[in-house]
Amino acid sequence: DIVSSLLDLSRQTTSYEEPVDLNQVIDDAIRIMYNKYKYRDAIIKRCLDKNIPNIRGNFSQLGQVCINIIQNAIQAVPENNGEVILETGAKNNHLYFRCQDNGGGIPKDKLPHIFQPFFTTKPVGEGTGLGLYVCHDIITKHQGQIHVYNNEKGGATFEITLPLSQSALVA
């Protein structure tokens, strides 16, 4: 299953567009991330709406986004009682994907810079500062939006919205 998920997400295409099942993208990303969290006391809760339609987009690129967002959430949660909640749904002619964690959140002064290239909140040597920048670029190319905010009870939530009604990728 892991090899199959890796093959699905690693197709090297840049502007190829196809029907994409967002829930399948997330499931493949979780399978690939399994070794990152299997020994941690962390729960990954899936609240995936099984009735959402496919969107037009690039499966591989959206997989890169999901892996990065989920990986960041797993790294942010506490060693004990960590929780990551993944949610999908459809609203206002858009699909959404939310990734919520119960980590420490993102310092308010850093929130405006989170999608800038080479910006990282991680210690030196642990991050390049390119992951969220690339995510933002991919989502923008899919005519979507990506937002991040801190939760009232701690942790952060990343929310991605993607359009349902039109061709996603711009040549």
Side-chain angles (χ1 to χ4, degrees):
D1 285 344
I2 292 172
V3 171
S4 175
S5 294
L6 275 170
L7 289 172
D8 284 345
L9 291 177
S10 67
R11 286 180 277 153
Q12 296 299 313
T13 55
T14 54
S15 62
Y16 179 73
E17 189 178 299
E18 62 191 325
V20 176
D21 178 346
L22 188 58
N23 290 335
Q24 182 64 49
V25 172
I26 293 165
D27 285 340
D28 283 355
I30 292 169
R31 241 184 316 279
I32 290 167
M33 297 297 304
Y34 178 71
N35 285 331
K36 294 269 186 191
Y37 69 87
K38 70 180 177 183
Y39 297 117
R40 295 190 65 172
D41 182 21
I43 296 171
I44 296 183
K45 263 190 206 176
R46 295 178 190 166
C47 303
L48 306 181
D49 182 345
K50 299 298 180 193
N51 297 314
I52 61 173
N54 288 347
I55 57 169
R56 299 245 359 123
N58 185 292
F59 189 97
S60 177
Q61 290 178 356
L62 292 172
Q64 289 176 359
V65 170
C66 290
I67 286 171
N68 196 311
I69 297 293
I70 295 168
Q71 177 175 299
N72 284 350
I74 290 169
Q75 291 172 345
V77 298
E79 285 294 326
N80 296 312
N81 299 316
E83 183 176 72
V84 176
I85 301 171
L86 307 175
E87 179 185 1
T88 59
K91 185 177 178 181
N92 298 330
N93 211 26
H94 285 78
L95 289 188
Y96 65 84
F97 165 52
R98 285 189 198 110
C99 179
Q100 177 180 335
D101 66 63
N102 68 338
I106 301 166
K108 287 182 183 180
D109 63 321
K110 300 200 185 309
L111 275 173
H113 309 287
I114 204 84
F115 298 111
Q116 294 174 357
F118 304 109
F119 181 84
T120 183
T121 60
K122 296 177 182 172
V124 175
E126 288 189 30
T128 62
L130 290 174
L132 291 175
Y133 169 74
V134 169
C135 289
H136 186 272
D137 187 54
I138 289 170
I139 296 304
T140 300
K141 285 180 181 173
H142 280 78
Q143 299 176 5
Q145 294 184 9
I146 182 170
H147 299 284
V148 61
Y149 53 90
N150 285 316
N151 306 321
E152 286 183 24
K153 296 181 180 181
T157 297
F158 280 80
E159 183 171 286
I160 295 167
T161 57
L162 297 163
L164 282 172
S165 64
Q166 55 193 333
S167 179
L169 296 179
V170 178

